[in-house]
Amino acid sequence: MTEVLGLYNYWVFAVVLALGLYTAAAAPNLVKKLMGLSIFQSAVFLLYITMDKVEGGTAPILRAGVGEQIYSNPLPQVLILTAIVVGISTLALGLAIVVRIKEEYGTIEEENIRDMDQS
Amino acid sequence: MILTVLGFLLLTLLVIVTGAIVRTANLFAAVVLLSLFSLLMAANFFLLDAADVALTEAAVGAGISTVLMLAALALTAETEKTASRLKWVAAGTVTALTLVLLYATLSIPRMGDPSAPVHQHVAPWYLQNTPHLIDIPNVVSAILASFRGYDTLGEVFVVFTAGIGVLFMLGMRRFPAGKRRIPPPQTLGLKHHLVPRTVGTFILPFIILFGLYVQFHGEHGPGGGFQAGAIMAAAFILYALLEGERRALDIVPPRVLMLLLASGAFLYGAVGVMCMLLGGNFLDYNVLAADPVAGQHLGIMLVELGVGVSVTGVLLSIYHAFAKREPA
Amino acid sequence: MNVQLLIDTASWILLLSGSAFVFLGGLGLLRMPDLYTRMHAASLTDTLGSLFILLGIMLQMDWTSSLAKLVAVIGFLLVTNPTATYALANAALLAGEKPRTAPAPEKP
């Protein structure tokens, strides 16, 4: 039982990653593609944060006077903390490009844009 | 045990919500679901002992990202036009990838295993040495601002560059004078809606206060520059939503936004250079004060302030760049 | 009289009734016919349910600063939750979503 639950986070990571990647690759709409990328990114965050957990641990904020306390691994948290803010900034950059495409082409559907480019 | 089960339920919900986002053709609904996705993600992070990350994800993912997406949708389209067919090549590749990943999980240590390789190398060193080298309780802040200060400097500049990129793409034009007949709804805000406006004005000071608390209490509890920046930006975005773009830009004009955006990143770099001038290495805060630990405290405080100011500036400028643009 | 037992009982009653309210809210969200009734079901029970759950948790806690934080959380929930519902209903009405009304009774 604990074996299954112990790997469940990683399975969720794999499935969410796949759904995000599929959306980014196959969705016809550019905003939807960006959402897919965002989901893909969040799945990676989940992978990292899952790795930081130590059994019986607590958040890595040291408390004086508490004898032997197990703390979870702070390093993945630092990496993901900054990655989330970087993620929103790059997402905004992507959305800005989409807005400009809409203004130039009048559409954000990939196929229509490709047709207009070829004609 | 109960927490594991709760995590199991939350993760199952996460997968369901992801499926719904992928399936829906209504982009508006997808944005709302994405906000739910972020909230579930934040709850999961909290269960996995990552309080700082949960705080960031809740403020950024569920708050600011939703507002940005909605602003972008107002400028583009609310539904997908072409029906999304199942693309066999993409679906096949992704399925194969998933199977490989699932197979790979069978050989990695299960979650929470204290003997997993990830817990053996640097993390114990950080946990052991933070008390006497830096002496702040929040190890995440210590690593973020001091031990891995270079890394964070890089991240701040990525955020800064992305903000500059959005401004290049969309610009911060002034309102065109006289051209407009009816102002678009997003420039008016919720001026005519008494209840949200009153309540919003009431809680706004508390949000700003909380942002400051998260900024300056970040060494002792969960918090720090990134979270505080997101919360402060959310407060000012709320003001812009309530009072309209024009009022918001009168209060914090584009010039000030540019200044915030640049000065935060500059402050971070300047602290590093200051350390060099005082005879240390770049971002080696020990030399900033007579006592190395006091130097570390000062350095971390300044660097976190730089991060907070920069993140506030970038997120606010990005929001205004989207919100001010007129639909094509 | 065992004070601890009394506090525990009160806390459990609050927690369970809070959960019941949240559950009913979820049920209403699924079963109600149109947007406005669904919102009605979700918002009222959500505010009350989370209030009860938070009060129940507070009874289990010691006198620390976390208690004050929970009081603040309750305050914000009581203020923001109804406002969000109001804003949502208002937006739906402005967007042209008509409430579903019973057909007018036919005159015999």
Side-chain angles (χ1 to χ4, degrees):
Chain A
M1 183 64 181
T2 42
E3 276 306 309
V4 175
L5 283 180
L7 288 179
Y8 190 69
N9 280 42
Y10 295 112
W11 297 343
V12 169
F13 150 73
V15 172
V16 172
L17 186 93
L19 286 171
L21 186 62
Y22 175 76
T23 314
N29 184 296
L30 292 179
V31 174
K32 197 68 179 289
K33 271 183 196 294
L34 284 175
M35 285 179 189
L37 269 183
S38 186
I39 291 172
F40 182 88
Q41 200 179 25
S42 293
V44 178
F45 297 165
L46 183 63
L47 172 71
Y48 269 70
I49 297 298
T50 301
M51 285 194 298
D52 90 347
K53 175 78 181 164
V54 180
E55 234 148 50
T58 178
I61 295 166
L62 307 177
R63 256 151 301 181
V66 184
E68 276 297 299
Q69 173 71 53
I70 307 170
Y71 294 106
S72 287
N73 194 337
L75 193 56
Q77 300 189 14
V78 175
L79 300 179
I80 295 314
L81 174 59
T82 53
I84 289 176
V85 180
V86 168
I88 175 88
S89 315
T90 44
L91 174 73
L93 193 61
L95 286 174
I97 296 173
V98 172
V99 167
R100 291 290 296 130
I101 287 175
K102 164 79 178 178
E103 286 172 0
E104 294 302 319
Y105 288 80
T107 176
I108 51 168
E109 305 292 320
E110 197 181 31
E111 286 172 19
N112 300 355
I113 294 169
R114 199 180 296 138
D115 291 346
M116 288 168 92
D117 271 345
Q118 276 160 1
S119 61
Chain B
M1 187 59 206
I2 190 103
L3 286 184
T4 323
V5 175
L6 187 58
F8 180 83
L9 288 176
L10 284 174
L11 286 169
T12 312
L13 265 179
L14 191 76
V15 174
I16 296 171
V17 170
T18 316
I21 297 174
V22 172
R23 280 178 55 88
T24 180
N26 183 342
L27 292 175
F28 194 77
V31 170
V32 177
L33 286 171
L34 208 58
S35 160
L36 185 59
F37 175 88
S38 284
L39 202 62
L40 285 171
M41 207 54 139
N44 271 311
F45 288 163
F46 189 73
L47 282 184
L48 295 168
D49 291 345
D52 285 272
V53 187
L55 188 56
T56 319
E57 176 72 32
V60 168
I64 293 178
S65 143
T66 311
V67 175
L68 273 187
M69 284 273 194
L70 289 178
L73 284 190
L75 294 173
T76 51
E78 276 186 16
T79 46
E80 286 185 273
K81 292 267 167 26
T82 36
S84 57
R85 297 178 311 278
L86 191 62
K87 296 205 173 134
W88 290 107
V89 182
T93 319
V94 166
T95 312
L97 175 77
T98 316
L99 290 178
V100 171
L101 280 175
L102 287 178
Y103 175 68
T105 57
L106 295 180
S107 59
I108 55 177
R110 72 193 159 74
M111 184 182 91
D113 188 355
S115 61
V118 63
H119 302 310
Q120 306 307 318
H121 186 42
V122 283
W125 190 90
Y126 286 142
L127 285 170
Q128 259 170 26
N129 290 295
T130 300
H132 66 262
L133 284 183
I134 299 187
D135 191 29
I136 61 173
N138 190 349
V139 185
V140 175
S141 286
I143 300 176
L144 181 98
S146 183
F147 290 127
R148 295 183 64 92
Y150 277 39
D151 193 0
T152 311
L153 180 70
E155 307 269 18
V156 169
F157 274 92
V158 173
V159 172
F160 173 71
T161 314
I164 299 277
V166 171
L167 291 183
F168 267 130
M169 211 80 72
L170 297 180
M172 279 287 259
R173 282 186 238 153
R174 307 219 114 268
F175 281 101
K179 196 184 101 190
R180 165 155 318 289
R181 297 167 305 275
I182 316 154
Q186 74 262 32
T187 59
L188 273 180
L190 292 171
K191 264 187 196 141
H192 303 295
H193 299 270
L194 189 64
V195 177
R197 200 172 157 210
T198 315
V199 174
T201 328
F202 168 68
I203 60 173
L204 201 60
F206 292 103
I207 303 180
I208 293 179
L209 193 66
F210 184 60
L212 290 174
Y213 168 78
V214 168
Q215 170 81 51
F216 293 108
H217 194 257
E219 287 96 38
H220 303 278
F226 284 98
Q227 297 93 318
I231 292 170
M232 292 297 263
F236 285 103
I237 288 174
L238 176 65
Y239 185 78
L241 289 174
L242 290 173
E243 300 285 337
E245 272 303 287
R246 208 179 278 261
R247 268 299 282 290
L249 281 176
D250 282 345
I251 305 255
V252 189
R255 259 181 308 114
V256 176
L257 284 179
M258 299 291 148
L259 197 69
L260 285 178
L261 188 117
S263 62
F266 177 78
L267 177 61
Y268 201 137
V271 171
V273 174
M274 198 63 200
C275 294
M276 286 172 82
L277 291 180
L278 288 172
N281 289 322
F282 188 65
L283 289 177
D284 170 16
Y285 313 133
N286 283 351
V287 294
L288 283 178
D291 176 36
V293 172
Q296 288 286 349
H297 284 189
L298 182 64
I300 288 176
M301 207 269 280
L302 286 175
V303 160
E304 290 272 18
L305 185 64
V307 172
V309 168
S310 199
V311 170
T312 312
V314 169
L315 292 178
L316 257 187
S317 324
I318 288 174
Y319 170 74
H320 282 307
F322 278 100
K324 264 184 77 172
R325 199 146 187 104
E326 286 153 28
Chain C
M1 193 66 208
N2 194 339
V3 180
Q4 192 54 44
L5 187 73
L6 206 65
I7 289 180
D8 274 352
T9 318
S11 146
W12 272 107
I13 290 173
L14 282 170
L15 283 174
L16 285 175
S17 54
S19 319
F21 272 118
V22 172
F23 176 76
L24 285 176
L27 201 67
L29 194 66
L30 279 174
R31 300 286 298 164
M32 287 292 189
D34 75 335
L35 181 88
Y36 297 98
T37 45
R38 282 179 185 179
M39 235 155 65
H40 177 78
S43 79
L44 287 181
T45 53
D46 233 28
T47 314
L48 204 61
S50 43
L51 178 72
F52 278 0
I53 289 176
L54 286 174
L55 284 175
I57 294 172
M58 276 166 72
L59 285 183
Q60 292 286 336
M61 283 169 45
D62 300 326
W63 283 96
T64 56
S65 65
S66 307
L67 208 61
K69 286 177 195 167
L70 274 190
V71 174
V73 168
I74 288 180
F76 283 117
L77 268 181
L78 285 183
V79 171
T80 51
N81 221 340
T83 313
T85 313
Y86 165 83
L88 191 59
N90 199 8
L93 203 63
L94 284 182
E97 175 86 24
K98 292 269 186 304
R100 213 167 91 170
T101 44
E106 286 174 36
K107 297 230 170 78

